[in-house]
Amino acid sequence: MNKRFFITTAIDYVNGQPHLGHAYEKIITDVIARSRRSLGQEVFFLTGLDEHGQKVQQAAVAEGKTPQAYCDELAADWKAFAKKLELTNDDFVRTTEPRHKEFVQAILANLHAAGQFYKETYKGFYSTKEETFLTDKDRLPDGTFDPAYGEVIELEESNYWFKLRDHQQWLIDYLEANPSFVQPDYRRNEVLGFLKNSMLEDLCITRPAARLNWGIPLPFDKDFVTYVWFDALVNYISIPAAHGDPLSGLGSGVLVPGDGTGTAKPQTPDAKSQLQLWPADLHVIGKDILKFHAVFWPIMLKAMGLPLPKQILVHGWWQKEGAKISKSTGNIVDPVAVIDEWGLDAFRFYVLRELDIGPDGNWTDAGFRARYQAELANGLGNLVNRSLSMLKRYRNGVVPARHDELAAAAAKAADETHALLKQNQLQAALHSIWGLVTRANQYVDQTAPFKLAKDPAQAKRLDEVLYNLAETCRVLAVLLWPFLPGTATKIYAQLGLSGTPDKFSEATWGGLQPGHKIGEPAPLFPRKDG
Ligand code: MSP
């Protein structure tokens, strides 16, 4: 059994419709998943929904629905959205599914039995919006709490707590010894700064069922439900376990719950469905949930005896036209509307090309149109259309003898893209691919095949130029596949090639065979005037 490259996204709260931020994270994860497959790795890409907790319960109540009915309705929309983005996810988790809930209960029972929890009464401040306890340390200099916490109430209640404190020094040492664990570096430094400058508080892992009942019941105390974050993070291992992952760190057996007591029993998964996924190779998340992934999650895993994920890749946040994206102010980007108007690949291209993984980004409608026009319509689209149309017109669509004038430029783009994809440098990879697009467009202008076609003495030169252009289009389709799968597939079809350009090894120059007949050229990115 081979370990697969296991890549995950954050699982989204199902308390509204998907927006640009959700779409962005899922697209970058999809590009990484596709590129790894293209490079020959076996991949498992997991995404899904975080359905428990107060945010979801409140949203359901506001619509007069039960939380489960509300989640079921919205889950259908979110799954359709994943299809709309053409995500190649291998599974889609919903945290209300039995396969997940039972696993969480098993973990809780195990950790409880191992003495990792204690029960204590807490009196203090609580943010309902963020579902978190606050202390005086969280106050702003003027004594108030950050408005991001919403309404802050005083509360006295009994809960179960997870002993985080004991692991603080271990985590600092781990982060220092493993510089690539959190990327980019400045995010890793943020976590280290936090750990070095403050004492880690223990983590409250329950909420009293009397106050919040939309959660996974605690297997050993029916008066409590599981804190939503403890539940949500576990999706990264509950789903591997559901696919028969032996989760090697847990010894010989998989934790399989099911009898409501949460007692872990070894599972003997049927061989067909047995996948080896954990540890995850990459958790892709946004900057706001870094602490949960880089502090709580590693400590939870350590307490369970499981290996840590290899890397947490942290992306920035989008704004629109320089202001916060917000439903209430109407400053939003509706991904579905953009895709319906401009096409999926135009949307994927803009977010990938505009923003590197790490810093914050700013969507502007003018910027979107400019990139569409310059890079897609006039750049890639024009290159492919004129290259194939000329081959059709001057050579009846039949590929001439091989010629290698653009081979070095194509090899350079392929080598750079290969290296950049391995480092998840998606924006830089697109930059390199467009270097080849620009070079090939210049080549058309310099060689002027439309002039060569008028002079029979130049027939051989025209053959050479046409081969170089068609072959460059083919190489581009292979390089573009992870980013713009629809466009890459169209280029292949227009070249008369069957299948999909989904194997990076085919980016090697010389794939188009002389005598091969291409298909019908058609514009890839129709010009939008006005
Ligand atoms: N449910 C939790 C995650 C649990 S993971 C075990 C959650 N959900 S969320 O719906 O609020 O956010 C999901 C992801 O979308 C997060 O990674 C978050 O950073 C990302 N984004 C939400 N708004 C965003 C932007 N405006 N821009 C970019 N990404 C943003 O947190």
Side-chain angles (χ1 to χ4, degrees):
M1 189 173 44
N2 289 333
K3 161 85 174 75
R4 292 208 188 184
F5 183 89
F6 180 33
I7 179 166
T8 67
T9 67
I11 51 173
D12 301 318
Y13 287 125
V14 61
N15 59 350
Q17 292 292 324
H19 62 56
L20 171 63
H22 304 123
Y24 172 65
E25 178 175 286
K26 276 58 195 175
I27 289 171
I28 55 180
T29 312
D30 184 59
V31 176
I32 297 171
R34 284 176 187 263
S35 63
R36 297 294 165 145
R37 290 194 198 99
S38 177
L39 291 167
Q41 271 179 290
E42 278 194 294
V43 173
F44 193 92
F45 167 14
L46 177 63
T47 188
L49 292 173
D50 187 356
E51 300 192 355
H52 289 123
Q54 194 138 328
K55 281 184 209 256
V56 177
Q57 179 167 308
Q58 278 170 348
V61 169
E63 291 200 11
K65 293 179 179 141
T66 65
Q68 189 64 59
Y70 173 82
C71 288
D72 289 346
E73 273 174 34
L74 275 180
D77 295 345
W78 283 76
K79 282 186 179 177
F81 185 64
K83 284 217 160 61
K84 185 113 195 156
L85 298 177
E86 291 183 14
L87 302 185
T88 53
N89 54 303
D90 297 281
D91 202 339
F92 188 98
V93 56
R94 296 182 55 195
T95 54
T96 50
E97 292 167 331
R99 60 178 181 161
H100 172 75
K101 288 202 285 195
E102 291 168 1
F103 191 88
V104 171
Q105 290 187 319
I107 297 277
L108 286 163
N110 265 19
L111 292 179
H112 184 55
Q116 294 281 348
F117 303 147
Y118 62 92
K119 197 175 178 187
E120 198 174 77
T121 302
Y122 175 88
K123 184 166 186 267
F125 299 100
Y126 186 76
S127 149
T128 19
K129 179 153 174 264
E130 290 304 314
E131 287 178 68
T132 188
F133 293 94
L134 301 170
T135 65
D136 283 331
K137 276 193 287 178
D138 297 305
R139 288 185 191 275
L140 296 172
D142 69 358
T144 63
F145 290 104
D146 193 307
Y149 288 119
E151 187 196 6
V152 176
I153 54 173
E154 266 196 282
L155 190 90
E156 178 172 352
E157 68 181 31
S158 211
N159 273 304
Y160 286 87
W161 298 77
F162 174 45
K163 296 176 184 169
L164 283 187
R165 279 180 212 165
D166 305 352
H167 305 285
Q168 183 155 1
Q169 190 54 47
W170 162 79
L171 188 55
I172 292 173
D173 294 344
Y174 188 85
L175 283 160
E176 286 188 329
N178 297 277
S180 62
F181 181 58
V182 177
Q183 280 297 308
D185 279 339
Y186 50 89
R187 295 293 174 207
R188 168 175 158 268
N189 294 338
E190 206 177 284
V191 182
L192 270 172
F194 162 77
L195 284 169
K196 286 180 176 171
N197 296 323
S198 49
M199 284 286 288
L200 213 47
E201 303 285 337
D202 286 344
L203 179 69
C204 181
I205 54 126
T206 55
R207 296 294 182 262
R211 180 161 70 77
L212 173 73
N213 61 17
W214 185 234
I216 300 177
L218 213 59
F220 47 85
D221 191 337
K222 63 177 175 20
D223 292 337
F224 294 89
V225 299
T226 312
Y227 170 49
V228 65
W229 269 102
F230 194 99
D231 159 357
L233 287 163
V234 170
N235 93 87
Y236 300 136
I237 51 174
S238 65
I239 300 311
H243 286 277
D245 189 327
L247 294 176
S248 51
L250 288 174
S252 55
V254 178
L255 281 173
V256 181
D259 59 6
T261 63
T263 320
K265 286 177 269 144
Q267 184 191 32
T268 37
D270 81 84
K272 260 190 290 171
S273 66
Q274 201 166 349
L275 295 181
Q276 197 183 323
L277 303 176
W278 194 258
D281 293 271
L282 206 57
H283 287 319
V284 181
I285 59 158
K287 63 177 186 176
D288 57 318
I289 56 175
L290 177 57
K291 188 166 141 190
F292 296 96
H293 284 81
V295 178
F296 299 164
W297 181 226
I299 295 177
M300 284 165 67
L301 287 164
K302 177 167 177 268
M304 291 175 218
L306 279 172
L308 304 195
K310 300 210 183 107
Q311 190 171 89
I312 300 167
L313 183 61
V314 189
H315 64 77
W317 266 45
W318 282 93
Q319 293 195 324
K320 190 198 169 197
E321 316 288 349
K324 190 175 165 7
I325 291 179
S326 152
K327 249 195 272 180
S328 50
T329 62
N331 192 42
I332 55 156
V333 178
D334 175 0
V336 174
V338 176
I339 293 166
D340 287 344
E341 185 177 352
W342 297 85
L344 173 63
D345 281 357
F347 180 70
R348 288 176 66 115
F349 179 75
Y350 177 75
V351 294
L352 293 161
R353 181 63 187 82
E354 180 69 23
L355 184 59
D356 195 11
I357 300 176
D360 288 339
N362 183 31
W363 174 293
T364 66
D365 289 341
F368 180 92
R369 283 166 192 273
R371 283 203 187 278
Y372 182 93
Q373 205 60 26
E375 287 154 88
L376 293 178
N378 297 340
L380 177 66
N382 191 30
L383 172 69
V384 174
N385 200 245
R386 54 186 180 157
S387 299
L388 302 194
S389 299
M390 289 189 292
L391 183 54
K392 191 100 189 161
R393 195 172 323 128
Y394 305 139
R395 292 294 179 263
N396 202 23
V398 177
V399 175
R402 173 171 166 168
H403 189 266
D404 297 345
E405 206 166 351
L406 289 179
K412 178 171 175 279
D415 290 348
E416 283 174 3
T417 303
H418 187 150
L420 291 164
L421 286 177
K422 290 226 107 171
Q423 300 161 34
N424 308 320
Q425 305 253 22
L426 309 185
Q427 186 194 43
L430 278 180
H431 194 259
S432 169
I433 296 170
W434 253 260
L436 180 59
V437 171
T438 307
R439 171 77 186 88
N441 268 325
Q442 283 166 352
Y443 181 75
V444 178
D445 299 339
Q446 286 158 1
T447 57
F450 25 87
K451 286 190 195 144
L452 298 175
K454 291 186 187 135
D455 180 358
Q458 296 282 1
K460 185 159 176 295
R461 180 61 185 145
L462 181 60
D463 277 348
E464 291 171 2
V465 171
L466 292 175
Y467 184 90
N468 277 291
L469 289 172
E471 178 60 1
T472 299
C473 292
R474 194 194 63 80
V475 171
L476 281 169
V478 178
L479 302 184
L480 285 169
W481 160 256
F483 304 90
L484 312 179
T487 303
T489 306
K490 279 187 203 161
I491 297 174
Y492 243 42
Q494 293 184 20
L495 280 165
L497 297 168
S498 56
T500 37
D502 59 357
K503 280 174 207 64
F504 201 92
S505 55
E506 290 177 7
T508 315
W509 187 264
L512 267 186
Q513 297 306 311
H516 168 80
K517 188 149 191 202
I518 64 163
E520 276 309 308
L524 294 169
F525 301 98
R527 282 210 173 70
K528 304 246 179 193
D529 298 315

